[in-house]
Amino acid sequence: MELTREEDDDEVYFSFLDAQSFYFLDPSGNIVEFISRYSVSPESAAESFSAQNVLCISEINITTDEVRALGNRLISNGVPVRNGEAIREDGLNFMGEHEAGSFLLLGPRKRRWIFSDKGSETFPLSLVINQHLYISLDGEGFMELKKVE
């Protein structure tokens, strides 16, 4: 497998997350990010990376033309924007609890992925959050939310 590159680098450090990432394409051509968030797993900074260090899927992207509307629906259902930021219609929004180390990424169609020449696209998607919030998106990026108590 070959790592993808951005300006001749094959990894990046995100100071706002205290995290380091590298990227590659899966067999279907989807971009995959491996990220080490040192604030979630401080011991990982001192270790050599291996398969045993993989903890979870920490980000799943929701792509839609209705970024603000979907973001507001997520907020009203208990999924906050990182650091209380405003929803950005033209960029990437990190939705969820930073301390838990997982995010829903919410952004518009055709947004370029870092370390790639690909633009984001809409695809059907089904998610369950904390075993009580069910989210499904159709292939056009329209979302259905169902809350189960």
Side-chain angles (χ1 to χ4, degrees):
M1 165 188 40
E2 186 176 321
L3 298 180
T4 57
R5 303 183 77 77
E6 178 103 356
E7 298 178 7
D8 292 328
D9 291 323
D10 63 6
E11 63 182 57
V12 62
Y13 177 74
F14 296 108
S15 59
F16 67 95
L17 285 174
D18 191 22
Q20 193 140 4
S21 293
F22 64 87
Y23 302 82
F24 59 93
L25 300 179
D26 73 7
S28 296
N30 299 302
I31 190 161
V32 177
E33 174 187 31
F34 264 52
I35 185 168
S36 179
R37 290 193 179 108
Y38 302 121
S39 59
V40 174
S41 181
E43 66 279 359
S44 64
E47 296 177 11
S48 294
F49 182 80
S50 72
Q52 287 74 33
N53 298 102
V54 177
L55 301 177
C56 63
I57 295 174
S58 64
E59 297 173 352
I60 296 177
N61 189 68
I62 296 175
T63 300
T64 181
D65 294 326
E66 304 292 327
V67 173
R68 185 173 308 283
L70 268 59
N72 288 334
R73 287 184 67 198
L74 288 168
I75 291 167
S76 68
N77 281 279
V79 181
V81 183
R82 176 188 64 197
N83 298 328
E85 298 167 356
I87 297 287
R88 295 180 40 210
E89 291 187 67
D90 62 342
L92 194 58
N93 298 279
F94 288 76
M95 309 291 298
E97 301 288 341
H98 171 70
E99 295 77 20
S102 297
F103 292 108
L104 291 178
L105 304 179
L106 176 63
R109 192 185 319 235
K110 298 182 182 174
R111 188 188 65 75
R112 187 184 77 84
W113 286 103
I114 186 172
F115 281 75
S116 169
D117 59 358
K118 296 177 179 275
S120 57
E121 301 176 36
T122 58
F123 292 99
L125 177 66
S126 295
L127 302 168
V128 178
I129 299 174
N130 296 332
Q131 301 177 357
H132 75 275
L133 184 60
Y134 295 81
I135 300 172
S136 62
L137 272 79
D138 65 15
E140 296 301 314
F142 295 106
M143 180 170 67
E144 180 182 333
L145 266 129
K146 186 168 97 175
K147 202 168 191 173
V148 177
E149 299 299 327

